mmCIF file of all heavy atoms in Angstrom:
data_model
loop_
_atom_site.group_PDB
_atom_site.id
_atom_site.type_symbol
_atom_site.label_atom_id
_atom_site.label_comp_id
_atom_site.label_asym_id
_atom_site.label_seq_id
_atom_site.Cartn_x
_atom_site.Cartn_y
_atom_site.Cartn_z
ATOM 1 N N ARG A 24 12.258 -4.294 -3.046
ATOM 2 C CA ARG A 24 12.714 -4.158 -4.357
ATOM 3 C C ARG A 24 11.736 -3.609 -5.417
ATOM 4 O O ARG A 24 11.995 -3.550 -6.609
ATOM 5 C CB ARG A 24 13.237 -5.590 -4.848
ATOM 6 C CG ARG A 24 14.223 -6.268 -3.839
ATOM 7 C CD ARG A 24 15.549 -5.519 -3.732
ATOM 8 N NE ARG A 24 16.333 -5.622 -4.948
ATOM 9 C CZ ARG A 24 17.143 -6.604 -5.189
ATOM 10 N NH1 ARG A 24 17.183 -7.742 -4.424
ATOM 11 N NH2 ARG A 24 17.836 -6.617 -6.298
ATOM 12 N N ILE A 25 10.530 -3.319 -4.925
ATOM 13 C CA ILE A 25 9.432 -2.973 -5.765
ATOM 14 C C ILE A 25 9.050 -1.495 -5.515
ATOM 15 O O ILE A 25 8.843 -1.077 -4.318
ATOM 16 C CB ILE A 25 8.217 -3.855 -5.632
ATOM 17 C CG1 ILE A 25 8.536 -5.311 -5.815
ATOM 18 C CG2 ILE A 25 7.059 -3.414 -6.576
ATOM 19 C CD1 ILE A 25 7.449 -6.268 -5.490
ATOM 20 N N LEU A 26 8.858 -0.754 -6.508
ATOM 21 C CA LEU A 26 8.438 0.698 -6.440
ATOM 22 C C LEU A 26 7.131 0.820 -7.053
ATOM 23 O O LEU A 26 6.847 0.422 -8.132
ATOM 24 C CB LEU A 26 9.370 1.679 -7.070
ATOM 25 C CG LEU A 26 10.870 1.507 -6.666
ATOM 26 C CD1 LEU A 26 11.714 2.528 -7.527
ATOM 27 C CD2 LEU A 26 11.099 1.815 -5.199
ATOM 28 N N PHE A 27 6.113 1.591 -6.402
ATOM 29 C CA PHE A 27 4.860 1.853 -7.039
ATOM 30 C C PHE A 27 5.112 2.849 -8.155
ATOM 31 O O PHE A 27 5.806 3.842 -7.953
ATOM 32 C CB PHE A 27 3.892 2.448 -6.053
ATOM 33 C CG PHE A 27 2.610 2.958 -6.768
ATOM 34 C CD1 PHE A 27 1.753 2.093 -7.395
ATOM 35 C CD2 PHE A 27 2.380 4.345 -6.810
ATOM 36 C CE1 PHE A 27 0.607 2.541 -8.038
ATOM 37 C CE2 PHE A 27 1.287 4.829 -7.529
ATOM 38 C CZ PHE A 27 0.439 3.905 -8.120
ATOM 39 N N GLY A 28 4.541 2.537 -9.223
ATOM 40 C CA GLY A 28 4.677 3.460 -10.448
ATOM 41 C C GLY A 28 3.626 3.053 -11.469
ATOM 42 O O GLY A 28 3.292 1.879 -11.563
ATOM 43 N N SER A 29 3.229 3.977 -12.289
ATOM 44 C CA SER A 29 2.198 3.673 -13.348
ATOM 45 C C SER A 29 2.853 3.673 -14.765
ATOM 46 O O SER A 29 2.338 3.148 -15.625
ATOM 47 C CB SER A 29 1.088 4.695 -13.248
ATOM 48 O OG SER A 29 1.554 6.027 -13.535
ATOM 49 N N ASP A 30 3.970 4.458 -14.871
ATOM 50 C CA ASP A 30 4.590 4.768 -16.170
ATOM 51 C C ASP A 30 3.504 5.525 -16.972
ATOM 52 O O ASP A 30 3.468 5.401 -18.187
ATOM 53 C CB ASP A 30 5.024 3.493 -16.900
ATOM 54 C CG ASP A 30 6.378 3.752 -17.601
ATOM 55 O OD1 ASP A 30 7.145 4.541 -17.056
ATOM 56 O OD2 ASP A 30 6.634 3.128 -18.575
ATOM 57 N N PHE A 31 2.672 6.314 -16.361
ATOM 58 C CA PHE A 31 1.714 7.206 -17.024
ATOM 59 C C PHE A 31 2.402 8.023 -18.054
ATOM 60 O O PHE A 31 3.460 8.663 -17.721
ATOM 61 C CB PHE A 31 1.022 8.082 -15.959
ATOM 62 C CG PHE A 31 0.074 9.046 -16.536
ATOM 63 C CD1 PHE A 31 -1.273 8.742 -16.780
ATOM 64 C CD2 PHE A 31 0.532 10.346 -16.917
ATOM 65 C CE1 PHE A 31 -2.075 9.711 -17.370
ATOM 66 C CE2 PHE A 31 -0.324 11.253 -17.412
ATOM 67 C CZ PHE A 31 -1.635 10.978 -17.637
ATOM 68 N N PRO A 32 1.978 8.201 -19.269
ATOM 69 C CA PRO A 32 0.635 7.822 -19.762
ATOM 70 C C PRO A 32 0.563 6.437 -20.442
ATOM 71 O O PRO A 32 -0.476 6.107 -20.990
ATOM 72 C CB PRO A 32 0.390 8.912 -20.807
ATOM 73 C CG PRO A 32 1.768 9.125 -21.383
ATOM 74 C CD PRO A 32 2.678 9.022 -20.235
ATOM 75 N N SER A 33 1.634 5.595 -20.281
ATOM 76 C CA SER A 33 1.513 4.245 -20.916
ATOM 77 C C SER A 33 0.399 3.501 -20.236
ATOM 78 O O SER A 33 -0.279 2.660 -20.903
ATOM 79 C CB SER A 33 2.834 3.499 -20.828
ATOM 80 O OG SER A 33 3.798 4.107 -21.595
ATOM 81 N N ASN A 34 0.199 3.702 -18.951
ATOM 82 C CA ASN A 34 -0.879 3.088 -18.173
ATOM 83 C C ASN A 34 -1.606 4.160 -17.473
ATOM 84 O O ASN A 34 -1.036 5.164 -17.054
ATOM 85 C CB ASN A 34 -0.335 2.121 -17.131
ATOM 86 C CG ASN A 34 0.544 0.984 -17.775
ATOM 87 O OD1 ASN A 34 0.069 0.296 -18.660
ATOM 88 N ND2 ASN A 34 1.749 0.790 -17.252
ATOM 89 N N ASN A 35 -2.902 4.020 -17.279
ATOM 90 C CA ASN A 35 -3.595 4.860 -16.323
ATOM 91 C C ASN A 35 -3.175 4.530 -14.894
ATOM 92 O O ASN A 35 -2.864 3.404 -14.644
ATOM 93 C CB ASN A 35 -5.141 4.676 -16.507
ATOM 94 C CG ASN A 35 -5.613 5.273 -17.723
ATOM 95 O OD1 ASN A 35 -5.229 6.371 -18.104
ATOM 96 N ND2 ASN A 35 -6.603 4.557 -18.424
ATOM 97 N N ILE A 36 -3.099 5.494 -14.009
ATOM 98 C CA ILE A 36 -2.657 5.286 -12.721
ATOM 99 C C ILE A 36 -3.441 4.345 -11.892
ATOM 100 O O ILE A 36 -2.932 3.606 -11.041
ATOM 101 C CB ILE A 36 -2.434 6.716 -11.988
ATOM 102 C CG1 ILE A 36 -1.433 7.466 -12.758
ATOM 103 C CG2 ILE A 36 -1.982 6.494 -10.585
ATOM 104 C CD1 ILE A 36 -1.260 8.933 -12.208
ATOM 105 N N GLY A 37 -4.793 4.365 -12.099
ATOM 106 C CA GLY A 37 -5.652 3.554 -11.292
ATOM 107 C C GLY A 37 -5.381 2.079 -11.381
ATOM 108 O O GLY A 37 -5.560 1.345 -10.380
ATOM 109 N N GLY A 38 -4.961 1.591 -12.546
ATOM 110 C CA GLY A 38 -4.822 0.158 -12.697
ATOM 111 C C GLY A 38 -3.644 -0.367 -11.808
ATOM 112 O O GLY A 38 -3.812 -1.336 -10.988
ATOM 113 N N PRO A 39 -2.442 0.171 -11.909
ATOM 114 C CA PRO A 39 -1.340 -0.233 -11.065
ATOM 115 C C PRO A 39 -1.631 -0.079 -9.560
ATOM 116 O O PRO A 39 -1.230 -0.835 -8.746
ATOM 117 C CB PRO A 39 -0.155 0.642 -11.510
ATOM 118 C CG PRO A 39 -0.504 0.984 -12.912
ATOM 119 C CD PRO A 39 -1.956 1.073 -12.957
ATOM 120 N N LEU A 40 -2.365 1.040 -9.299
ATOM 121 C CA LEU A 40 -2.758 1.245 -7.876
ATOM 122 C C LEU A 40 -3.657 0.141 -7.386
ATOM 123 O O LEU A 40 -3.407 -0.431 -6.252
ATOM 124 C CB LEU A 40 -3.477 2.590 -7.777
ATOM 125 C CG LEU A 40 -3.947 2.988 -6.379
ATOM 126 C CD1 LEU A 40 -2.783 3.259 -5.420
ATOM 127 C CD2 LEU A 40 -4.757 4.348 -6.474
ATOM 128 N N ALA A 41 -4.647 -0.221 -8.094
ATOM 129 C CA ALA A 41 -5.537 -1.365 -7.711
ATOM 130 C C ALA A 41 -4.753 -2.649 -7.622
ATOM 131 O O ALA A 41 -5.071 -3.508 -6.779
ATOM 132 C CB ALA A 41 -6.669 -1.483 -8.687
ATOM 133 N N THR A 42 -3.767 -2.932 -8.493
ATOM 134 C CA THR A 42 -3.047 -4.126 -8.488
ATOM 135 C C THR A 42 -2.299 -4.235 -7.188
ATOM 136 O O THR A 42 -2.198 -5.327 -6.555
ATOM 137 C CB THR A 42 -1.966 -4.095 -9.658
ATOM 138 O OG1 THR A 42 -2.692 -4.125 -10.865
ATOM 139 C CG2 THR A 42 -1.134 -5.349 -9.637
ATOM 140 N N VAL A 43 -1.651 -3.155 -6.690
ATOM 141 C CA VAL A 43 -0.896 -3.258 -5.391
ATOM 142 C C VAL A 43 -1.843 -3.474 -4.234
ATOM 143 O O VAL A 43 -1.665 -4.375 -3.395
ATOM 144 C CB VAL A 43 -0.056 -1.970 -5.153
ATOM 145 C CG1 VAL A 43 0.599 -2.044 -3.835
ATOM 146 C CG2 VAL A 43 0.983 -1.805 -6.251
ATOM 147 N N ILE A 44 -2.920 -2.690 -4.201
ATOM 148 C CA ILE A 44 -3.910 -2.779 -3.124
ATOM 149 C C ILE A 44 -4.498 -4.173 -3.064
ATOM 150 O O ILE A 44 -4.741 -4.778 -1.986
ATOM 151 C CB ILE A 44 -4.949 -1.681 -3.204
ATOM 152 C CG1 ILE A 44 -4.398 -0.340 -3.038
ATOM 153 C CG2 ILE A 44 -6.158 -1.934 -2.262
ATOM 154 C CD1 ILE A 44 -5.300 0.819 -3.406
ATOM 155 N N GLY A 45 -4.793 -4.771 -4.228
ATOM 156 C CA GLY A 45 -5.477 -6.157 -4.248
ATOM 157 C C GLY A 45 -4.454 -7.232 -4.357
ATOM 158 O O GLY A 45 -4.912 -8.400 -4.678
ATOM 159 N N SER A 46 -3.190 -7.063 -4.084
ATOM 160 C CA SER A 46 -2.299 -8.058 -4.411
ATOM 161 C C SER A 46 -2.161 -9.229 -3.316
ATOM 162 O O SER A 46 -1.606 -10.277 -3.513
ATOM 163 C CB SER A 46 -0.823 -7.480 -4.514
ATOM 164 O OG SER A 46 -0.447 -6.880 -3.260
ATOM 165 N N GLY A 47 -2.762 -8.920 -2.153
ATOM 166 C CA GLY A 47 -2.745 -9.937 -1.106
ATOM 167 C C GLY A 47 -1.476 -9.858 -0.137
ATOM 168 O O GLY A 47 -1.333 -10.727 0.629
ATOM 169 N N ILE A 48 -0.720 -8.855 -0.326
ATOM 170 C CA ILE A 48 0.453 -8.710 0.542
ATOM 171 C C ILE A 48 0.066 -7.883 1.751
ATOM 172 O O ILE A 48 -0.943 -7.198 1.791
ATOM 173 C CB ILE A 48 1.629 -8.000 -0.211
ATOM 174 C CG1 ILE A 48 1.270 -6.597 -0.673
ATOM 175 C CG2 ILE A 48 2.068 -8.882 -1.403
ATOM 176 C CD1 ILE A 48 2.392 -5.901 -1.332
ATOM 177 N N GLY A 49 0.925 -7.937 2.793
ATOM 178 C CA GLY A 49 0.627 -7.197 3.986
ATOM 179 C C GLY A 49 0.719 -5.690 3.925
ATOM 180 O O GLY A 49 1.365 -5.149 3.014
ATOM 181 N N GLN A 50 0.218 -4.989 4.881
ATOM 182 C CA GLN A 50 0.247 -3.519 4.890
ATOM 183 C C GLN A 50 1.667 -2.943 5.042
ATOM 184 O O GLN A 50 1.959 -1.907 4.394
ATOM 185 C CB GLN A 50 -0.586 -2.985 6.085
ATOM 186 C CG GLN A 50 -2.086 -3.149 5.920
ATOM 187 C CD GLN A 50 -2.594 -2.331 4.712
ATOM 188 O OE1 GLN A 50 -2.409 -1.164 4.645
ATOM 189 N NE2 GLN A 50 -3.228 -3.022 3.749
ATOM 190 N N ALA A 51 2.568 -3.649 5.699
ATOM 191 C CA ALA A 51 3.927 -3.156 5.812
ATOM 192 C C ALA A 51 4.565 -3.247 4.432
ATOM 193 O O ALA A 51 5.364 -2.362 3.968
ATOM 194 C CB ALA A 51 4.755 -3.972 6.772
#
């Protein structure tokens, strides 16, 4: 139910990217 997105330019892309990578969820 979750899609990766930044809503750039409201957010820089790197922040949301780091949030997903560091969220503690599995690779799948």
Side-chain angles (χ1 to χ4, degrees):
R24 309 294 291 278
I25 305 172
L26 307 176
F27 170 69
S29 63
D30 223 29
F31 175 90
S33 293
N34 302 305
N35 287 320
I36 296 174
L40 181 63
T42 296
V43 178
I44 294 172
S46 63
I48 61 177
Q50 287 298 300

